[in-house]
Amino acid sequence: MIKNIFRPGLELWQSLFGDETRVEIWLKQRYYLLDQRINWWQQRIEYRINWWQQLIELKKINKLIAESSYLSDDYTIFWSETKRENKIGIYVNEGCDLQAIFACIPLIQPQLKGTCCIFKERKMGKFRSDMLLQNYFNTYSDEVVEPVIKKLDIPADSFHTNVFDQNFSVKGINGSEEFPKSVIILTIGRDYKRAVYKHREHGFLIDPGIWWLNQSMDSVLQDLPTAKWFREKFISIGQMTVADFSDNLGKLINLLREKTNAHILVFNLLTLDPGDLTHNYQFVKKSERIRRMEFNLALAELSQQLNFSIVDMDRILKKAGIANMPDFVHYPHELYPTVAEEVFAILTELGVFYTPNSSLLG
């Protein structure tokens, strides 16, 4: 704007007195300072306008969520004003890296035509993929598993699963509500990390650490007979190999699709540990970073074979910045919206929120 005002005068001055006179240089300096200040004010005004627009929009969404949602510790039900009978269920495997799923609600809410429930299945998050398959094909008698349940003080339904049910039920405003498993979201974190034990005689798998770690050390040390019994009855099979991971997860995804007809999303792993300062791998038997990369590659190959979606946490977190992450799986709450945007984009592309009587997301 300033440049257009001064250009005719500058051209006239140059035609009369020549180029680069002292007066011209002084005027250019003044013009530059004035132009910089005007640009600065324009940017500030535009920033303020955008900030206020975003704030107004966020307040509208928050008001919408507050007026049309039901919250619990493990799930959130939210709905639109129309077509509330259209049910969408998002069934989430419990995991530290999956907490951001609930940050999708402000993105889904304005587009929703129906009722949606995001449900975090705590029990599902306690098992590796091979243990979930074991529980589905469970043929172990009560006489075999009851001593294990009693001695290790684990949940009574540890050898059963409802992961493969078509629907799930939660408590809503008007009592129990049932939702189809429209989407199932998994993480490969437990397959990568957890080591399990196998019963020497009957061959079933168990992960006692997930329950023992919740007890005080005093209570564990006082129960040495149970520790001795456990050592006699079980043998450690350690962490899952990449080959077994690929085989187990492939079977799990196929079975979930067959039983639920759900869209499958799987979170992969961050391949960098912000706290790992290793720079020479000569004496490192098995690098955790390399192991995570191997699991991610195996997951990508499975996606190619079975046609399911991957939430690429490795790319998302590296792009957003991992400086403040304490480890490879716990990321700051500030990154939840970033992860949620990626998940929402996948769900939109899959047509999860499409209904026969409405246009896509409309």
Side-chain angles (χ1 to χ4, degrees):
M1 180 179 69
I2 299 298
K3 187 176 182 180
N4 293 334
I5 294 174
F6 281 100
R7 182 178 294 280
L10 177 62
E11 291 174 351
L12 178 61
W13 178 273
Q14 289 175 340
S15 66
L16 295 175
F17 302 103
D19 296 340
E20 299 300 322
T21 61
R22 288 185 178 181
V23 174
E24 181 183 342
I25 293 172
W26 181 84
L27 287 172
K28 283 183 176 180
Q29 291 174 343
R30 292 294 177 182
Y31 154 75
Y32 174 78
L33 293 174
L34 180 61
D35 190 56
Q36 287 292 101
R37 179 156 295 186
I38 289 175
N39 287 337
W40 182 84
W41 275 108
Q42 284 179 332
Q43 291 173 2
R44 292 287 292 177
I45 292 170
E46 289 175 0
Y47 171 81
R48 286 290 182 181
I49 291 174
N50 290 335
W51 184 83
W52 277 108
Q53 287 176 339
Q54 291 174 5
L55 182 62
I56 292 170
E57 188 65 26
L58 183 60
K59 285 184 176 180
K60 287 181 180 178
I61 293 174
N62 287 340
K63 184 174 182 292
L64 181 63
I65 293 173
E67 293 176 348
S68 54
S69 64
Y70 181 88
L71 282 70
S72 181
D73 291 339
D74 297 329
Y75 61 90
T76 298
I77 304 173
F78 52 103
W79 53 86
S80 62
E81 293 301 321
T82 59
K83 298 187 177 74
R84 285 191 56 181
E85 66 281 359
N86 177 45
K87 296 287 188 74
I88 298 171
I90 301 177
Y91 189 82
V92 183
N93 183 4
E94 184 191 34
C96 299
D97 49 342
L98 300 185
Q99 298 296 330
I101 299 298
F102 289 91
C104 290
I105 295 174
L107 302 173
I108 299 172
Q109 180 87 60
Q111 314 294 341
L112 184 63
K113 302 296 182 184
T115 304
C116 181
C117 178
I118 299 179
F119 175 68
K120 179 177 63 177
E121 175 58 86
R122 290 187 180 272
K123 182 184 173 184
M124 184 181 180
K126 299 183 185 299
F127 300 115
R128 298 192 328 188
S129 58
D130 51 357
M131 297 175 71
L132 288 172
L133 291 170
Q134 166 191 275
N135 289 358
Y136 176 77
F137 295 106
N138 180 10
T139 57
Y140 308 110
S141 65
D142 292 341
E143 291 77 12
V144 170
V145 298
E146 279 181 0
V148 178
I149 292 172
K150 183 177 179 181
K151 284 183 176 294
L152 299 182
D153 192 26
I154 59 179
D157 59 352
S158 295
F159 294 93
H160 300 86
T161 181
N162 55 7
V163 172
F164 302 98
D165 295 345
Q166 285 189 333
N167 306 300
F168 63 91
S169 296
V170 295
K171 181 182 177 182
I173 294 178
N174 299 316
S176 179
E177 286 196 52
E178 188 172 76
F179 290 85
K181 290 178 182 174
S182 311
V183 181
I184 297 176
I185 302 181
L186 308 173
T187 175
I188 66 174
R190 289 196 56 77
D191 280 6
Y192 151 76
K193 191 67 176 175
R194 296 299 303 178
V196 302
Y197 292 79
K198 183 178 182 179
H199 195 279
R200 294 178 187 269
E201 180 182 356
H202 299 287
F204 58 80
L205 305 176
I206 193 167
D207 183 355
I210 204 66
W211 294 281
W212 283 8
L213 289 175
N214 293 329
Q215 301 184 42
S216 68
M217 184 58 68
D218 290 339
S219 62
V220 174
L221 291 176
Q222 288 174 6
D223 194 12
L224 293 180
T226 297
K228 182 181 178 182
W229 168 88
F230 184 79
R231 184 176 181 181
E232 292 173 351
K233 296 293 184 181
F234 289 87
I235 183 172
S236 173
I237 63 171
Q239 291 182 319
M240 191 180 293
T241 65
V242 177
D244 285 342
F245 159 73
S246 183
D247 183 52
N248 291 328
L249 188 65
K251 290 178 180 177
L252 177 64
I253 288 175
N254 281 330
L255 193 56
L256 285 171
R257 277 185 171 156
E258 177 188 338
K259 298 299 179 181
T260 68
N261 199 32
H263 295 289
I264 308 293
L265 275 65
V266 185
F267 275 49
N268 71 2
L269 302 168
L270 176 66
T271 57
L272 290 177
D273 189 338
D276 185 3
L277 302 179
T278 303
H279 57 83
N280 187 324
Y281 290 84
Q282 181 180 5
F283 300 109
V284 178
K285 279 188 175 182
K286 186 65 175 178
S287 165
E288 289 300 302
R289 175 185 177 185
I290 293 174
R291 178 172 163 82
R292 290 196 290 271
M293 291 175 66
E294 290 172 344
F295 269 69
N296 280 358
L297 288 173
L299 181 65
E301 290 177 359
L302 275 177
S303 173
Q304 189 176 43
Q305 297 167 14
L306 303 180
N307 186 27
F308 62 86
S309 300
I310 296 175
V311 181
D312 192 352
M313 294 296 287
D314 192 41
R315 174 184 59 81
I316 296 169
L317 294 177
K318 285 176 180 177
K319 186 177 178 181
I322 60 174
N324 295 324
M325 288 183 61
D327 54 49
F328 77 96
V329 72
H330 296 93
Y331 50 94
H333 293 179
E334 305 88 78
L335 296 182
Y336 282 11
T338 303
V339 177
E341 287 175 4
E342 295 280 346
V343 174
F344 177 70
I346 294 173
L347 297 180
T348 301
E349 184 176 330
L350 292 173
V352 172
F353 310 109
Y354 171 79
T355 59
N357 297 322
S358 66
S359 60
L360 185 62
L361 295 179

